[in-house]
Amino acid sequence: MSTSIHLSPGQVAASLALVVLAAAISFWQRADLERDIGIATVRSFIQLTAIGYAIKLIFEADTLWLVFGLLAVMVLFGALTARARAKKVPGAFWPLLIALAVAGVTTLGLVVALGVFEPTARYLVPVGGMVIGNAMTASAVALNRLGDEMAESRGKIEATLALGATAQEAAAPTVRRALRSGMIALIDSTKTTGVIFFPGTMVGMLLAGANPTDAVRLQLILLYALLGSVAIAGLVATGLAYRNFFTPAQQLREPGA
Amino acid sequence: MLFELSEVSLARGNRRVLDSVSAEVPAGATAIVGPSGAGKSTLLRLFNRLADPDAGTISYRDRLLTEYDPLVLRREVSLVPQLPALLEGTVESNLRYAADLADKQLDSARCLGLAGLDPDFAGRDVAKLSVGEQQRAMLARALAQQPKVLLLDEPTSALDHAARDAIEATLAELRRELEISIVLVSHDPEQARRLSDWVVRLEEGRAIEAAPVEEVL
Ligand SMILES: Nc1ncnc2c1ncn2[C@@H]1O[C@H](COP(=O)(O)OP(=O)(O)OP(=O)(O)O)[C@@H](O)[C@H]1O
Ligand SMILES: [Mg+2]
C-alpha cells in the first residue's frame, strides 16, 4: 500500500445523511425499523471506534497473545449475537461457540500454514475478524432455519423416529436444509463478486490507493478463506445443535421443555 | 400381557393429559376409544417410546419398556401416526427406507396390496397423493418393517367405506396369518367392535374401562 487516506470526523458525520434516509424510508413504509437503525448506527460507531483503538494497541505491542485474546473475544460475542437469532434452538450457545472457534482456528491455521499470510497481528486481526464474522452470520442463519424447520417438521421427524431411525437419521434432511441456507448467501455473493457486488476489502484497498492486482489477489484469498470458514461453522453448528432437540432415548423433546 | 400400564401420568403445559392410567392390553386386537382430546394419541405414543410418562410404568411382554433399546423396540412395535407424514420421494423409497431400517427384504407390491393400494403406487411422488392415499402408504410403510405389533392411530379416518373395508380386512388377515397384535385408536365404536376383542376407554385422561369388547360396547 503506497499511499494511505485520511478521513476527518466531519466526513463520517456527513455520511449519517444516508442513515437518516434509511430511517425515513422505514418510517414512511411502516417497516418499524427506526429504532433498530438507530441502535445499529450508535453501536457501529462505538464498537468500531473502540476496536480501532484496541487494534492500534495490539499492532504496536505485536504479541500474538493479544491477538488470540482479541479473536477469542470476537468468538464469544459472535456466539452470543448468533444465539439471539437462533431462539428456537435449545442450548444454541455452545454449538455456536464451538462452531466459531473451530472455524476461526482451522481457517487461520490453514492460511498461515500454507504461507498465505505471516502470523502477525497485522494479518491475523483483520482476517480473523472477517472469518469469525462470516462464520457467525452463516451459523446464525443456519440455526435460525434449523429452529423453524424442526418446529415445522415435527410430524415427519417423529414418524421417522417411529420407524426406528436414530435422531441423526430422522433429522438429517432438516439439518441438510439448515446447513444449505447458512452457506448459500456467501456462495451466491462469491459467484457474483466483481460483477454486481464489490467486496469490502477490495474496495477498501482501492480507496486506500493500492495496486488493483494486489487488491484482487488479497480479495480472492479472503473469499476462499471465508468459503471454508462458513462451511466449517455451518457444519459444526448444525451438527451439534440438532442434538438438543432430542432426548437420549431418541425422542423428540417437547418444545419449551 | 402385551402391555401393562401402571399409574401412568403425563402432563403437557399445566394440563394432565393422562391421569394415573392403569390398564392391561392383551395380545390380539385392542381398541382405544374415547372422545376427542381424551388422550388416546398420547397414550399410543407411549407404547413405542416416542414419549415417556412423567410418572408410572409401562411394560411390554412383562419387561419394562425402558429396558428395551428404543430403536429395536420401534421396529418391532410399529406406530402409524394419526397424521400422515411421509418422507420426500416416492412411495417405494419410503417403503425401502423403512425396510432397510428393520433389516427386512422389501416386497413393495405385497405391502401396498395389504394397505389397499395398487402396485403402481410404488413409483408415485408422495407429494402428489391424496390424504387417504398417504394414510394407506403410511400403513404400507409400517408393514414393510414386518412388525410384531401395530399401533394404529385412526388408520381409516380419511377413507371412504370401500377403502376402510379393505384396511379392516387386511388387519384381520394380519392378525390371523402373521399373529400380529394390533392396538387401534378409533372414534368409531362400530369399527372397534368389528376389529377388536379388548377395549380401553379413555375419558379426560383417565382409563374408565379396560375389558373384553362384548362387555364394553
Ligand atoms: N404438546 C401439548 N401441549 C399441550 N397440550 C397437549 C399437547 N399434546 C396434547 N395435548 C392435549 O392433550 C389432550 C390429549 O391429546 P391427544 O392427542 O392424546 O387426544 P386424542 O384423544 O388423540 O384426541 P383426537 O381424537 O382428537 O385425536 C388434548 O386435550 C390436547 O390438547
Ligand atoms: Mg388423536
Side-chain angles (χ1 to χ4, degrees):
Chain A
M1 272 176 245
S2 43
T3 54
S4 58
I5 54 172
H6 290 282
L7 292 169
S8 68
Q11 285 170 292
V12 177
S15 66
L16 281 176
L18 287 152
V19 174
V20 173
L21 181 68
I25 290 174
S26 162
F27 181 71
W28 173 46
Q29 288 294 317
R30 299 198 206 145
D32 197 21
L33 289 170
E34 301 91 82
R35 232 179 88 85
D36 288 299
I37 291 173
I39 293 172
T41 311
V42 173
R43 276 188 61 170
S44 61
F45 179 80
I46 296 174
Q47 287 161 196
L48 280 179
T49 308
I51 202 72
Y53 284 110
I55 290 175
K56 206 169 166 200
L57 283 176
I58 290 170
F59 279 10
E60 279 162 10
D62 202 24
T63 61
L64 281 182
W65 287 116
L66 275 178
V67 175
F68 292 144
L70 181 68
L71 293 179
V73 171
M74 287 180 187
V75 166
L76 178 66
F77 276 95
L80 288 170
T81 309
R83 180 177 64 171
R85 298 259 277 119
K87 288 206 180 75
K88 289 187 197 156
V89 179
F93 176 70
W94 285 106
L96 285 165
L97 189 78
I98 296 168
L100 297 192
V102 171
V105 168
T106 327
T107 316
L108 289 181
L110 266 175
V111 291
V112 169
L114 295 172
V116 179
F117 294 125
E118 290 156 29
T120 60
R122 177 159 291 277
Y123 292 112
L124 291 183
V125 171
V127 177
M130 288 190 67
V131 162
I132 293 164
N134 278 270
M136 174 191 86
T137 309
S139 48
V141 171
L143 290 203
N144 184 275
R145 180 74 183 266
L146 184 72
D148 286 343
E149 290 249 348
M150 289 292 299
E152 239 167 66
S153 322
R154 280 189 74 82
K156 208 177 273 193
I157 292 172
E158 202 157 72
T160 310
L161 289 175
L163 296 171
T166 60
Q168 187 190 6
E169 289 162 336
T174 310
V175 170
R176 195 157 46 228
R177 280 195 294 273
L179 177 61
R180 272 182 67 86
S181 68
M183 292 179 60
I184 205 84
L186 185 76
I187 295 174
D188 281 347
S189 73
T190 305
K191 276 189 207 154
T192 55
T193 187
V195 185
I196 51 174
F197 159 72
F198 270 39
T201 310
M202 194 168 112
V203 173
M205 278 184 79
L206 291 174
L207 284 175
N211 180 339
T213 327
D214 287 337
V216 165
R217 285 190 189 140
L218 179 64
Q219 186 60 60
L220 286 177
I221 291 170
L222 288 177
L223 281 177
Y224 301 158
L226 291 185
L227 280 176
S229 86
V230 157
I232 295 168
L235 184 71
V236 175
T238 52
L240 292 175
Y242 87 85
R243 293 157 206 260
N244 296 347
F245 287 93
F246 296 91
T247 70
Q250 322 281 327
Q251 298 159 331
L252 200 50
R253 276 183 212 280
E254 284 300 315
Chain B
M1 205 39 68
L2 190 66
F3 293 105
E4 205 166 343
L5 299 117
S6 165
E7 318 241 316
V8 169
S9 293
L10 187 144
R12 286 279 180 259
N14 43 20
R15 258 190 77 104
R16 291 203 124 198
V17 178
L18 294 175
D19 191 359
S20 200
V21 173
S22 295
E24 292 186 334
V25 174
T30 297
I32 300 176
V33 300
S36 179
K40 305 183 296 294
S41 297
T42 307
L43 181 66
L44 201 68
R45 286 155 35 86
L46 299 181
F47 289 141
N48 75 345
R49 290 201 69 205
L50 284 177
D52 287 330
D54 301 332
T57 56
I58 305 171
S59 54
Y60 168 60
R61 298 196 202 274
D62 303 319
R63 270 174 65 200
L64 284 179
L65 269 186
T66 46
E67 290 172 19
Y68 293 85
D69 175 347
L71 300 183
V72 177
L73 177 76
R74 287 173 197 158
R75 291 163 196 168
E76 182 175 322
V77 179
S78 204
L79 178 132
V80 180
Q82 188 165 11
L83 299 174
L86 294 154
L87 295 166
E88 268 168 42
T90 61
V91 172
E92 166 109 23
S93 71
N94 271 273
L95 302 193
R96 163 117 12 238
Y97 186 85
D100 286 351
L101 275 175
D103 225 351
K104 294 277 158 46
Q105 283 288 337
L106 176 62
D107 181 349
S108 55
R110 182 177 139 79
C111 294
L112 290 172
L114 284 172
L117 288 174
D118 219 61
D120 49 60
F121 267 94
R124 293 276 299 272
D125 180 353
V126 298
K128 292 176 185 148
L129 298 180
S130 76
V131 178
E133 288 162 353
Q134 290 176 48
Q135 209 168 35
R136 282 172 283 170
M138 289 291 287
L139 176 62
R141 186 171 82 167
L143 294 175
Q145 296 198 306
Q146 302 174 22
K148 295 190 183 131
V149 181
L150 268 177
L151 308 172
L152 304 173
D153 198 343
E154 308 261 11
T156 59
S157 59
L159 303 184
D160 59 23
H161 285 278
R164 185 199 67 194
D165 291 345
I167 300 278
E168 289 186 1
T170 288
L171 296 180
E173 182 188 329
L174 289 171
R175 267 194 70 189
R176 219 171 35 240
E177 286 170 22
L178 302 173
E179 297 187 337
I180 291 180
S181 285
I182 294 166
V183 182
L184 169 97
V185 169
S186 181
H187 64 269
D188 174 6
E190 287 304 317
Q191 181 174 56
R193 209 196 322 264
R194 283 195 297 273
L195 288 178
S196 62
D197 30 42
W198 187 265
V199 173
V200 175
R201 182 188 294 281
L202 285 185
E203 240 165 61
E204 294 181 358
R206 305 189 70 97
I208 55 169
E209 265 174 319
V213 67
E214 55 273 13
E215 286 177 27
V216 179
L217 295 171

